[in-house]
Structure formats: structure tokens, C-alpha cells
């Protein structure tokens, strides 16, 4: 099963970044849920780690909601990724089996090293991109793909 936590968190953060540029930077969980095609309780659970790590601020009440805690240009995609997936590895290794040959003896260690290398590359790539960069890139896609135009 594919993990969509990062893509969901990124989409929510992009929506909040777009809202921050407008008159009302605070977005209700209901509005975010509608944008993500899910329900408000899922959005609230998604926002918890983003709030704990200082990327989002939330307020309760009738006019409450979520907003970026820092400018979009100061939030990296690597931060969003780490908040969304935590320390869960990118891949899981098969359970170890009986060590009967060099493959079965070393497969788990090799896979752990490969996973660490790939995760490092992913985090490095995401660390170079800010939320503001991503919003700009996304808007560029909107200009080149007119059939996909939409809001925000």
C-alpha cells in the first residue's frame, strides 16, 4: 500500500501558502478537507505533527483554522516530509531468513544501507526546495497546462 502522508501534507501546506498570500491566511479544516478530497478529522490529524514542529499554527473557534507559522520561503519540503512520515523508513526490508549463503547473510544489511542512501538523497533534494519554490513551480504548471486550471 502506498503512503500518501507526504503528498497530503505537502498539498495542505501549499494550500496554506497560497492562502497566506491573500486576505485570509487562516483556513478551516473543513475547507482544507474539501481541497484535499477528504474529511476534516483526517486534516486535523495531518496538521498535528506540522504544528508540533512549528510549521503550522492552529486556532479554535468559529473563525479558527490553520495557517503557516513561518513564511513559505523559510519552510523546506524536507521539513514537511519529516513531519508527515516521521522516522518511518522509505522502504521495509523483507524479514531475515536463515543465513545459508552470502545473499541471505547480507541482504538485510545491504538493504538497510541502500535505504539510508536513498533517503539521504531524497531529504537532500527536498532540503533545497522551499514551500514558496514549490508553490511557484506548481503555478508554472498551471500556466503550461490550461486544462488543469483551478484555485487557489
Amino acid at each position: 500500500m502506498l503512503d500518501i502522508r507526504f503528498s497530503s501534507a505537502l498539498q495542505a501546506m501549499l494550500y496554506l501558502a497560497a492562502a497566506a498570500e491573500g486576505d485570509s491566511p487562516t483556513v478551516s479544516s473543513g475547507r482544507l478537507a474539501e481541497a484535499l478530497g477528504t474529511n476534516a478529522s483526517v486534516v486535523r490529524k495531518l496538521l498535528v505533527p506540522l504544528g508540533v514542529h512549528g510549521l503550522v499554527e492552529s486556532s479554535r473557534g468559529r473563525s479558527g483554522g490553520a495557517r503557516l507559522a513561518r513564511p513559505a520561503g523559510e519552510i523546506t519540503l524536507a521539513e514537511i516530509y519529516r513531519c508527515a512520515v516521521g522516522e518511518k523508513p522509505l522502504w521495509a526490508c523483507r524479514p531475515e531468513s536463515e543465513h545459508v549463503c552470502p545473499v541471505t547473510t547480507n541482504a538485510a544489511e545491504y538493504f538497510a544501507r541502500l535505504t539510508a542512501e536513498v533517503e539521504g538523497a531524497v531529504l537532500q533534494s527536498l532540503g533545497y526546495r522551499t514551500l514558496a519554490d514549490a508553490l511557484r513551480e506548481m503555478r508554472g504548471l498551471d500556466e503550461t497546462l490550461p486544462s488543469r486550471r483551478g484555485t487557489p
Side-chain angles (χ1 to χ4, degrees):
M1 183 172 181
L2 294 176
D3 189 336
I4 61 167
R5 288 178 296 174
F6 173 57
S7 62
S8 297
L10 179 57
Q11 187 173 347
M13 292 293 287
L14 286 164
Y15 198 91
L16 293 176
E21 296 175 344
D23 294 338
S24 56
T26 302
V27 179
S28 71
S29 57
R31 198 162 120 213
L32 265 174
E34 187 178 315
L36 293 172
T38 190
N39 64 57
S41 65
V42 170
V43 167
R44 287 189 291 272
K45 288 178 188 175
L46 181 70
L47 293 176
V48 168
L50 296 167
V52 167
H53 289 91
L55 303 184
V56 171
E57 295 175 336
S58 296
S59 57
R60 294 179 184 228
R62 187 177 187 130
S63 61
R67 65 186 168 101
L68 295 182
R70 302 192 323 245
E74 296 177 11
I75 298 171
T76 69
L77 301 189
E79 290 177 284
I80 299 168
Y81 177 84
R82 273 292 165 223
C83 287
V85 302
E87 294 301 317
K88 180 183 174 196
L90 189 58
W91 301 313
C93 185
R94 290 180 45 82
E96 285 195 51
S97 59
E98 186 178 346
H99 297 185
V100 296
C101 69
V103 171
T104 57
T105 301
N106 298 310
E109 178 62 25
Y110 175 78
F111 198 78
R113 290 179 184 192
L114 179 63
T115 300
E117 180 183 332
V118 171
E119 284 180 343
V122 167
L123 287 170
Q124 182 178 16
S125 179
L126 294 175
Y128 290 128
R129 292 177 170 88
T130 67
L131 187 57
D133 296 334
L135 187 59
R136 198 169 25 261
E137 289 177 42
M138 187 181 66
R139 286 184 171 144
L141 292 173
D142 193 41
E143 292 170 7
T144 61
L145 301 169
S147 64
R148 290 187 173 181
R149 285 203 177 129
T151 58

